[in-house]
Amino acid sequence: DMAYRVVADHIRTLSFAIADGATPSNDGRGYVLRRVLRRAVRYGRQNLGADLGFFATLVPKLVELMGDTFPELRKNQAHVTAVIKDKEESFSKTLDKGLIR
């Protein structure tokens, strides 16, 4: 139950921030977003048994639920999905390397 709430809260946080122009990175607010994304991906993979790429697939459902209230989310859906997918794949490779050791 806790893992689902973490993932749901984090997809909202990231999607709104990316739609507003922020990007997960190594500095400033981007670093906070990077940590949020990594925590959600780790929770999903380890606690929910989710597959690689699961996090980016949540964006369309979020847009369906909140897109009417927040039109910038609907307008930037493709960009949000692409950024999350790219960062998720990158982190998943790092996570898989760490789990193998």
Side-chain angles (χ1 to χ4, degrees):
D1 187 44
M2 170 79 152
Y4 289 108
R5 286 188 298 218
V6 167
V7 170
D9 184 50
H10 287 32
I11 193 64
R12 283 191 304 267
T13 300
L14 281 164
S15 296
F16 284 112
I18 294 168
D20 284 342
T23 304
S25 65
N26 291 333
D27 61 299
R29 70 177 178 173
Y31 185 71
V32 173
L33 294 177
R34 179 179 171 198
R35 295 287 308 253
V36 168
L37 183 133
R38 288 179 169 213
R39 181 172 187 243
V41 170
R42 184 176 45 84
Y43 256 75
R45 299 267 314 270
Q46 291 178 346
N47 297 354
L48 301 175
D51 294 327
L52 172 65
F54 86 95
F55 199 58
T57 64
L58 299 175
V59 174
K61 187 62 175 179
L62 177 67
V63 171
E64 178 186 323
L65 294 171
M66 304 187 106
D68 291 338
T69 307
F70 300 97
E72 68 276 7
L73 196 57
R74 189 176 307 281
K75 181 178 130 194
N76 296 311
Q77 179 177 349
H79 174 68
V80 170
T81 302
V83 170
I84 290 176
K85 183 177 181 183
D86 178 57
K87 299 298 183 183
E88 179 181 6
E89 287 173 357
S90 175
F91 177 60
S92 290
K93 290 175 188 173
T94 302
L95 187 61
D96 288 342
K97 285 179 189 175
L99 293 175
I100 290 171
R101 293 182 186 182

